[in-house]
Amino acid sequence: HLALIINISKLIESNNRSFRIITNCYNETISLWDIYLLVGDSIVTNMSKGGKTYKYINKEFINKNNKIIKLNEKENKFLNEAIDLAKKCHKELIFCPTIGWDVILNKNGCYFLEGNIGVTISCDVDKNPMNKQKEYLDFVQKIYNHIIK
């Protein structure tokens, strides 16, 4: 498949976008689970309101049609800062297994809109969402087993 590459700066001019950074906590260790770029024609960018989803794979975002969006150096720096901040925030909410952090970037940095507990763990971009769901259910089962001991 031929992929169409888009400069994200051009996308910003015509669309709204946000990032969903999903962090995971297991045995008091916080890790990055996934990152999605959500793009829409209105202030609401989620899929239920018609937004498009791009999954972060190998330092670029790709959608189900193999359309690719690459961040520039400054945007990558801000996204990495957001990932670090999301992990740091999750440490304060250690009792939550997964949190989906809604983040926006602009020319000055990253801004957190909210954290969602119990977020969706796959989307239409995932090649095999059942693998991700199985991974998540295995993860939750370990937590459940630990709690009921």
Side-chain angles (χ1 to χ4, degrees):
H1 289 223
L2 232 47
L4 175 63
I5 298 176
I6 298 174
N7 181 319
I8 199 155
S9 300
K10 299 280 186 212
L11 188 67
I12 295 169
E13 295 170 8
S14 61
N15 293 83
N16 291 309
R17 68 185 177 127
S18 64
F19 296 84
R20 169 66 59 96
I21 298 171
I22 302 172
T23 55
N24 190 36
C25 177
Y26 182 66
N27 287 335
E28 297 187 8
T29 300
I30 308 299
S31 61
L32 177 65
W33 189 284
D34 236 332
I35 305 172
Y36 297 100
L37 169 63
L38 307 168
V39 179
D41 293 330
S42 70
I43 194 164
V44 181
T45 57
N46 57 23
M47 286 187 303
S48 67
K49 299 296 182 187
K52 306 286 187 270
T53 305
Y54 295 78
K55 184 179 174 78
Y56 192 66
I57 302 170
N58 297 323
K59 298 187 178 188
E60 59 190 21
F61 290 92
I62 185 167
N63 73 3
K64 65 182 179 181
N65 299 320
N66 292 319
K67 189 175 186 180
I68 295 173
I69 296 176
K70 293 185 178 186
L71 301 181
N72 64 37
E73 186 177 329
K74 189 174 185 180
E75 291 164 329
N76 268 310
K77 177 182 177 278
F78 292 154
L79 181 61
N80 285 322
E81 287 174 6
I83 292 166
D84 291 342
L85 286 169
K87 289 179 182 178
K88 185 176 180 180
C89 289
H90 199 150
K91 285 181 184 177
E92 300 300 319
L93 302 166
I94 205 87
F95 57 89
C96 300
T98 57
I99 302 175
W101 303 96
D102 292 344
V103 178
I104 57 172
L105 303 180
N106 74 7
K107 63 182 180 176
N108 299 315
C110 62
Y111 299 88
F112 281 70
L113 303 174
E114 65 181 350
N116 299 281
I117 298 170
V119 298
T120 303
I121 48 90
S122 65
C123 75
D124 62 350
V125 178
D126 291 312
K127 299 297 181 209
N128 191 348
M130 293 309 292
N131 286 346
K132 195 71 163 174
Q133 290 174 6
K134 182 183 178 333
E135 182 182 349
Y136 183 74
L137 291 174
D138 290 346
F139 163 73
V140 171
Q141 183 66 47
K142 290 175 189 172
I143 293 172
Y144 175 78
N145 291 342
H146 178 75
I147 291 171
I148 62 167
K149 281 185 181 181

